Every structure is written in structure tokens, then in C-alpha cells.
Amino acid sequence: MSNLPDWLVSIIVVFYPGFAGPVITEYNGYAEADYVYVAPAAAGRIVEINAEEGAPIAAGAVLFRIDDTHQTTALRAAEAQVAVARATLDNLATGSRAAEIDVIRATLAQAEADQRLARLTLERSQNLLASGAVTQARIDGDTAALQGADARVAQLQAQLQVAELPARDAQRIGAEAALEAALAQADDARLALKDRTVFAPADGVVDEVFYAVGEVAGAGAPVVAILPENSLKALFYIPESDRAQLWLGQEFAVQCSGCPDGITARLLRIAPSPQYTPPIIYSRAERTRLVFRAEAEILNAAGLLPGQPLTLRP
């Protein structure tokens, strides 16, 4: 039959439908890619782009960099705040500095010496009072001097005790909270600085670069589109009459112009509701107009390109 002209075969089929042999079921569609669009987390001016359209890219490679002058300055300021908060907490935890405590101790030693001298002077005056060598006014003056020396010693002892104690709990808790806030601010600044360098999330091929060096990219605006490996899928439409005969996971043979043999696809999804071509007349005669959109994962897409027409056979 392969030697007969096509027009003769068509005439014979009209009168003898079985003459053409078994009907081969096939669906037409095209290849579609799931691109990865890489965008910065925050707006900024692009200072470097390392992606070229059509060139392969490895996961983790630097795609582009955004100006980070502001973020670098913010990080230095945050780290300085951490240093201040940590020093404040250390100072409250350890009490006064050693030099300050030494000054208080030296002053206390002098006050204790003055106290001893005042006590001896009062005792001597009291002994001379009996012989009439001193007056009662002298005794009163020496007593007041001793009382003043006692008060000075007590004051310095209390001051030394306070200087050697750590800060009160409320002060320490406040200083600890200030340090935690400064550390969190530094972490946030560090992450913001890190986000200014954008890396490739997956292996693939750079499909398109949307910006040039010097342009300002908005937050979330794609700068580079990557076609990852094994990201192609086949989109095709199933007639209403074939819908019930197909199942998820079913494999199809894929054919296309110039493609190698052995390409297959696995059915991933069938639309739950049909699409149609007008007019919409839900009768037995018009059901053939209903089709269901289907997606199939292409398992070995070597040589296929996005948008390429495909033919799928169960």
C-alpha cells in the first residue's frame, strides 16, 4: 500500500475504512520550559554581571552584584553598637574599675589614720582635764573631731563596698537586652550586605539577561533568567474521547523534527475542566470540540528547545 499514490489511498479509504490499517493515536503539542528568574532581594544599582546569554552556569556561581556601599556602612555602625553594648555589660558585671577601687581604698586608709589620731587626741585631753591642764571646751572639740573621723571612715567603707559590687539585676538585664538588640541589628546588616551578591540557584543555561551594568534593578525584578537542566515539559491537548483512557504516570514516545530517537515523557497533569473551540454546543456531535490541557515531564530532553513542536504517542 505504501507504493500507491496518496490520492488513490484516500479514495479507497472512503469506501473501505479498514484499508488504511490501524489508526495511530498521537497528540500534538510543544515543549515548554520552567525558567528560574533570579532577582535581588532589595533594589539597587547593578555593578557587576557575570552571566552571558546562552552560556552554561553552575549552581553557586556569582550571577551579579548590587552596589553595597550603604550596607557596608550600616554593618560597621551595627558592629560598633555591639562593641558599646558589650563593654557596658562587662562594666556592670564587674563593678568599678580597679584603679577607681584603689583610689577609694587609699582614701579610706587615710581616713582610718585620721580616726586613730582623733581617738588618741581625745584620750590625752581627757587625762589632762583632771589636772586642769585643758578646758572642757577642748574636750568637746576633740570629741567632735573623733565623731567626724568615724563618719568619714564609715562613708568610705560603704563607698568601697558599693564599688566592688556588680550592678543591680535591673541594670544588668537592661544591658543584656541592649546587647541582644545590637547583635540582632548586626546580623540583619550582615544579611543585607550578603544579599547584594546574587548566586545561581541551579545548574543550567543563561536564557536571558534583562539589565546591564549601571542600571537600577528593583526588588524582586528578575535580572537573569536561567533554564535549569531537565526543566522541559511537553504541553499538549487530549480530545474528550481519549480523556478516560489516559492516566497520570503514563509514558509517551516523543517525536519532533531533527530530534534523536528514544525521547520519552511521563504524564504529570491533566486539566480537571475542558477547553473548547466555539460554538459551545454540548451535544454528542459537538463533544469532539472539547479538549483537556495536559502536561508531561520530558525524561531525556537532549536536543530539545523551548517552544519546539512535539508529537506524543502513548
Side-chain angles (χ1 to χ4, degrees):
M1 186 179 65
S2 59
N3 296 326
L4 296 175
D6 292 339
W7 63 269
L8 181 57
V9 173
S10 300
I11 294 175
I12 297 174
V13 169
V14 172
F15 296 98
Y16 302 96
F19 182 77
V23 177
I24 299 176
T25 301
E26 60 182 24
Y27 308 108
N28 294 319
Y30 58 93
E32 184 175 85
D34 287 330
Y35 293 97
V36 174
Y37 294 95
V38 186
R45 188 176 303 279
I46 300 174
V47 297
E48 179 183 346
I49 296 180
N50 297 320
E52 296 183 7
E53 294 182 357
I57 194 75
V62 176
L63 286 177
F64 57 91
R65 299 181 191 275
I66 305 294
D67 180 64
D68 60 2
T69 303
H70 175 74
Q71 287 72 23
T72 301
T73 303
L75 177 59
R76 289 203 303 267
E79 290 175 341
Q81 289 296 327
V82 170
V84 171
R86 182 171 283 116
T88 301
L89 179 61
D90 292 342
N91 182 60
L92 292 175
T94 58
S96 300
R97 292 177 297 177
E100 295 175 345
I101 295 177
D102 291 340
V103 171
I104 296 174
R105 287 175 176 171
T107 305
L108 176 60
Q110 179 64 41
E112 289 175 343
D114 294 341
Q115 181 188 41
R116 289 192 296 270
L117 177 60
R119 185 177 295 108
L120 292 175
T121 300
L122 176 60
E123 291 176 354
R124 187 180 303 111
S125 297
Q126 289 174 341
N127 293 332
L128 293 175
L129 179 64
S131 62
V134 296
T135 63
Q136 183 62 39
R138 174 67 181 273
I139 296 297
D140 294 340
D142 291 343
T143 300
L146 178 59
Q147 292 174 346
D150 291 341
R152 177 61 175 166
V153 169
Q155 177 187 4
L156 291 172
Q157 287 176 341
Q159 187 175 348
L160 178 61
Q161 184 178 7
V162 171
E164 291 177 340
L165 290 175
R168 290 177 296 179
D169 290 342
Q171 291 177 314
R172 189 181 68 257
I173 292 173
E176 291 174 350
L179 177 58
E180 289 295 327
L183 288 172
Q185 186 174 1
D187 290 341
D188 183 67
R190 196 171 292 110
L191 289 174
L193 178 60
K194 182 180 179 182
D195 286 342
R196 307 305 276 183
T197 300
V198 182
F199 302 90
D203 296 333
V205 176
V206 177
D207 182 75
E208 189 172 359
V209 178
F210 301 100
Y211 287 85
V213 173
E215 294 182 326
V216 176
V223 175
V224 178
I226 297 177
L227 177 60
E229 296 179 354
N230 302 321
S231 63
L232 289 179
K233 59 184 178 182
L235 293 185
F236 58 102
Y237 292 87
I238 301 170
E240 186 270 341
S241 57
D242 294 352
R243 171 64 180 84
Q245 303 173 13
L246 303 180
W247 63 91
L248 298 183
Q250 182 177 1
E251 291 196 3
F252 296 80
V254 179
Q255 297 178 348
C256 61
S257 300
C259 296
D261 296 332
I263 300 178
T264 58
R266 181 185 298 115
L267 187 60
L268 296 178
R269 179 179 179 272
I270 301 177
S273 58
Q275 299 181 358
Y276 51 84
T277 55
I280 311 171
I281 303 175
Y282 289 103
S283 63
R284 290 183 180 273
E286 294 298 330
R287 286 181 182 176
T288 56
R289 293 179 179 271
L290 300 176
V291 291
F292 292 81
R293 186 178 187 271
E295 298 179 7
E297 175 188 12
I298 300 178
L299 303 179
N300 42 358
L304 289 182
L305 297 175
Q308 189 167 2
L310 304 175
T311 300
L312 292 85
R313 292 181 177 178

